[in-house]
Amino acid sequence: MRKTLIITIIFLMLTFGVLSVLDLKSNYSAEKELWKINQHFTQVTKDPKTTPDTTFKKIYQDYVAFTQKYPDSRLTPMARIFSGRAQIFLENYEKAREIFENIIKAYPDNKVLGAQVVAEIGRTYALEKDPENIVQTYHRILDEYPLTEIGLKTPLYIAKYYGDKKEFAKAKQAFERGIIHYKRLITQHPDTAVEYKALHFIAACHLAQQRWQESINVFEEILLKFGDKKFFTPQEAISLVKSINTIAVAKLNNKEIPVEIYNKFMEKYPEHPFNRTLKQIITNLENFDPDQNTETGSAPQNDSQ
């Protein structure tokens, strides 16, 4: 019995090993094949006006053939996206949208992929100069993929879209709606990385409208609320400090604001490793003379956590 069990286990291990090797070879083959198609696609899109339609049609067929050959590969969604892009270069926008919609249906649980694909759909409407559907696509991302990176940035994209069109009243309204949207996300996901990111985007909305004090208030909230979270990295801390210092000194002409904020931080987190850097920044700010210096009391780059 024991001998039989051992033989069975060895057989299963060998089978697993063979399947693993086959899977690795399959992945390698798929990666190599897709890389070649992508290289060709990249080359011909450098000057698409001189590329005949037959070339893009051939590339499209190459992507379709790849997806049929490797239907379960992790690279297949990417190949399907590129096949849609090939149709965009052929100006077959309706066909491209059909491809993108089918990708969403095929991978309904992949929100990151879904957001990217809807953004591709928006690109087709932009090329067709269809403002109504462009805006509808933005709102689709907000409704269906709000927590993805693209979804979180979409309120800013909407405001920029109107700003680029010089529709400044609509841009301002988009910023205000964006702030409301981010506050709703914060209510739904308190004390999480979602709130952390949403606060940054609220600050970005204020900065875009030159609301300096409001933006500093948000940066202070981030610093004091998330100072002990794992995603509050030394790089994040330095970035926040630079933003606070620049706005306070260069825009509000007030170096006391950051000093007060950093003292609050050190009081709340007395053992925080970033405090040594903050003490040096406070000293720099206290010695800062705007008539003789151009620096804004940024943290020394070699003195982070």
Side-chain angles (χ1 to χ4, degrees), residues 11-175:
F11 174 76
L12 289 173
M13 290 175 65
L14 289 173
T15 303
F16 176 77
V18 171
L19 290 175
S20 296
V21 171
L22 290 175
D23 187 52
L24 285 172
K25 287 183 177 179
S26 176
N27 284 335
Y28 176 74
S29 298
E31 288 177 8
K32 185 177 180 181
E33 195 167 325
L34 185 59
W35 182 84
K36 288 176 66 175
I37 303 170
N38 288 345
Q39 284 293 103
H40 187 200
F41 195 17
T42 300
Q43 191 63 35
V44 301
T45 54
K46 288 180 179 179
D47 191 5
K49 292 182 180 179
T50 63
T51 303
D53 285 356
T54 52
T55 300
F56 288 116
K57 290 177 181 178
K58 174 64 169 58
I59 290 171
Y60 167 74
Q61 291 299 333
D62 288 343
Y63 282 125
V64 172
F66 177 91
T67 63
Q68 292 172 345
K69 185 176 181 180
Y70 303 101
D72 299 321
S73 170
R74 59 184 175 79
L75 301 174
T76 297
M78 183 189 305
R80 294 178 72 167
I81 289 175
F82 283 130
S83 74
R85 289 179 181 174
Q87 291 295 333
I88 289 176
F89 277 98
L90 288 166
E91 298 185 8
N92 294 334
Y93 302 122
E94 196 66 42
K95 176 64 175 177
R97 286 193 285 270
E98 179 186 336
I99 292 169
F100 295 140
E101 292 290 356
N102 285 334
I103 295 172
I104 295 171
K105 292 176 183 176
Y107 306 95
D109 297 327
N110 192 330
K111 299 301 183 183
V112 173
L113 176 67
Q116 180 181 348
V117 171
V118 175
E120 297 282 346
I121 292 172
R123 181 182 170 204
T124 67
Y125 288 127
L127 290 168
E128 289 182 310
K129 301 187 186 324
D130 183 345
E132 182 177 348
N133 276 311
I134 291 172
V135 174
Q136 285 185 3
T137 302
Y138 279 134
H139 287 289
R140 179 180 177 183
I141 294 173
L142 284 179
D143 291 339
E144 298 179 16
Y145 309 101
L147 301 184
T148 63
E149 198 65 29
I150 292 175
L152 287 168
K153 292 178 180 177
T154 293
L156 296 177
Y157 292 152
I158 295 173
K160 183 180 184 303
Y161 169 74
Y162 286 124
D164 290 344
K165 294 180 65 178
K166 301 189 184 307
E167 297 182 23
F168 299 118
K170 288 185 177 180
K172 181 179 178 181
Q173 187 180 53
F175 281 125

Side-chain angles (χ1 to χ4, degrees), residues 228-273:
D228 60 348
K229 298 293 188 290
K230 62 181 180 180
F231 46 78
F232 186 77
T233 63
Q235 293 75 20
E236 292 281 335
I238 292 294
S239 178
L240 271 175
V241 162
K242 284 186 174 181
S243 297
I244 292 170
N245 291 351
T246 300
I247 298 167
V249 177
K251 301 299 182 182
L252 298 177
N253 193 29
N254 189 332
K255 63 183 182 180
E256 298 303 321
I257 292 175
V259 171
E260 182 180 350
I261 292 172
Y262 305 148
N263 279 326
K264 287 181 183 178
F265 181 90
M266 290 188 290
E267 182 179 350
K268 183 173 182 178
Y269 305 106
E271 304 299 324
H272 201 289

